[in-house]
Amino acid sequence: MSESDVSPNPTFINPLGLYDPAPNGYSHVALVPGGTRLAFIAGQGGETEDGRLSEDFRAQVRQAMANLLIAIEAAGGQPSQVAKLTVLIVDHDNQRLGILGEELARAFGAQMKPACTLVPVPRLALDQMLFEVDAVVVLPAT
């Protein structure tokens, strides 16, 4: 098997002894196969292409996920190749965590989700921003 035959999809693991993170939209461990490249996607907020930002948290998460998917595709990847997400949430609470889990399922489908770190923050780059997500994507070797 040559390097070009290596699947760029990470393997996700939720080890016994750790709680099930699936309802919150992530996995505990992502293993990246050898012979691949990594793409680092900058934090994507909920801005539309023309710079508009909804006041609604769910709308911002949904738009940020759409923006993330555009960036992943531009890098030559697919959602199934995302190994790690970092999520920043202003005024984080359980309701917002539930919305995040629902929107991750909408964006990534039914398969196991990437490893993820959620960081509650007091504010983001723009005053109206409530959500931001970045990603590490596994790509085939060139």
Side-chain angles (χ1 to χ4, degrees):
M1 183 187 301
S2 71
E3 281 190 5
S4 63
D5 295 332
V6 174
S7 169
N9 291 357
T11 300
F12 300 112
I13 302 171
N14 290 317
L16 293 175
L18 298 178
Y19 88 101
D20 179 10
N24 293 326
Y26 72 98
S27 298
H28 286 293
V29 178
L31 299 174
V32 176
T36 57
R37 299 176 298 138
L38 298 178
F40 297 87
I41 309 297
Q44 299 299 307
E47 303 93 349
T48 58
E49 186 176 8
D50 62 1
R52 292 188 191 156
L53 195 59
S54 172
E55 294 180 13
D56 179 68
F57 179 75
R58 182 182 297 275
Q60 283 197 29
V61 174
R62 188 167 290 176
Q63 183 64 52
M65 290 299 172
N67 294 346
L68 182 67
L69 295 177
I70 290 169
I72 291 166
E73 183 178 331
Q78 302 171 26
S80 63
Q81 296 168 298
V82 174
K84 172 81 167 71
L85 298 171
T86 303
V87 172
L88 306 171
I89 297 179
V90 174
D91 296 329
H92 172 66
D93 60 19
N94 283 335
Q95 180 183 9
R96 289 188 171 184
L97 180 61
I99 290 169
L100 172 61
E102 292 166 6
E103 292 302 321
L104 284 168
R106 186 175 189 273
F108 285 89
Q111 76 266 9
M112 288 183 71
K113 305 303 178 282
C116 183
T117 299
L118 187 156
V119 183
V121 295
R123 66 163 288 157
L124 290 164
L126 303 174
D127 288 337
Q128 303 85 356
M129 279 181 78
L130 302 173
F131 181 83
E132 187 172 356
V133 59
D134 72 21
V136 177
V137 183
V138 182
L139 301 173
T142 56

